[in-house]
Amino acid sequence: VPYRPRKWARPFHAWLGRWAALVLHRRAGKTTGIVNHHQRAAMDDGWETRRLRHVMPVISDAHIASLLSPPTGRHYAHILPTYKQAKLVVWDMLKFYARPITREFNESELLVRYPNGNKLQLFGADNPDSLRGIRLAGVSFDEYSQMSPAIFSEVLSKALADALGYAIFAGTIKGKNHLYKIHEAAKG
């Protein structure tokens, strides 16, 4: 994969937790770093196993096996404020980074399917109800300050629960809004 992490991204890619807040300036490479983070999670069962053991140290091998191999594969989501933005800003870049691994791209669903059956899909926060019911191993909110905080609290937090999935809240802070509050909480 032709991805070289920027200096700020190296500790982020080493992170094994469930909740992350990335607050960086515009053009810092947040989206590129996050998409490649999801892609590694989708392809690297060893990394996902280490993350699950970090999140739940008493987890059994059988529970890990069930989390790594759900019937429809693991599903990762990258969400931007609008669906159109996801298609314009991220879709071609995601295909560029995924092309050395897979050629299975669903243009109408903005979905990449990896050889192991796992998926990475782009969504827009402009229709949060369309996200209800999916099970996610990881999700990221790109420019979270431009989305309703209800997309996580009312819709997607439950989608992560069963899979012990992770969430990444990213963007550039615009005042003391919900991204600011998450960033402040993450400092602690």
Side-chain angles (χ1 to χ4, degrees):
V1 174
Y3 169 66
R4 295 187 64 130
R6 294 186 184 188
K7 188 175 180 180
W8 69 262
R10 290 184 193 117
F12 165 63
H13 292 314
W15 161 77
L16 296 171
R18 286 200 70 197
W19 319 114
L22 295 177
V23 175
L24 297 156
H25 62 81
R26 300 247 180 264
R27 310 300 306 161
K30 296 181 292 290
T31 302
T32 303
I34 293 167
V35 162
N36 280 286
H37 191 81
H38 284 314
Q39 185 163 262
R40 184 209 30 209
M43 290 299 302
D44 187 348
D45 286 353
W47 180 85
E48 192 64 86
T49 298
R50 287 189 301 281
R51 189 188 71 75
L52 290 167
R53 289 198 187 286
H54 176 80
V55 168
M56 183 183 274
V58 297
I59 195 168
S60 70
D61 290 342
H63 192 183
I64 287 175
S66 72
L67 293 172
L68 291 179
S69 300
T72 58
R74 294 193 308 269
H75 200 158
Y76 299 85
H78 185 72
I79 302 170
L80 277 86
T82 68
Y83 185 80
K84 184 174 184 176
Q85 207 174 5
K87 187 166 188 161
L88 290 173
V89 175
V90 185
W91 182 235
D92 286 337
M93 182 243 306
L94 172 57
K95 290 187 296 184
F96 172 77
Y97 287 112
R99 197 163 276 119
I101 302 166
T102 185
R103 299 288 173 152
E104 202 168 334
F105 305 114
N106 184 321
E107 295 286 334
S108 63
E109 298 291 326
L110 303 184
L111 180 132
V112 174
R113 185 177 307 276
Y114 297 98
N116 60 6
N118 296 332
K119 303 171 285 285
L120 174 51
Q121 190 168 8
L122 306 178
F123 294 97
D126 46 350
N127 187 6
D129 288 331
S130 69
L131 298 166
R132 291 188 188 276
I134 61 176
R135 181 179 194 257
L136 293 172
V139 64
S140 50
F141 302 93
D142 199 337
E143 296 304 341
Y144 186 59
S145 61
Q146 297 175 32
M147 300 176 197
S148 166
I151 193 167
F152 178 72
S153 62
E154 295 175 18
V155 180
L156 291 176
S157 61
K158 288 91 178 152
L160 293 170
D162 291 341
L164 292 176
Y166 63 83
I168 302 162
F169 303 89
T172 303
I173 292 177
K174 294 180 174 182
K176 293 188 176 182
N177 60 24
H178 48 286
L179 179 59
Y180 171 83
K181 291 174 186 168
I182 285 176
H183 183 253
E184 288 299 305
K187 287 180 184 177

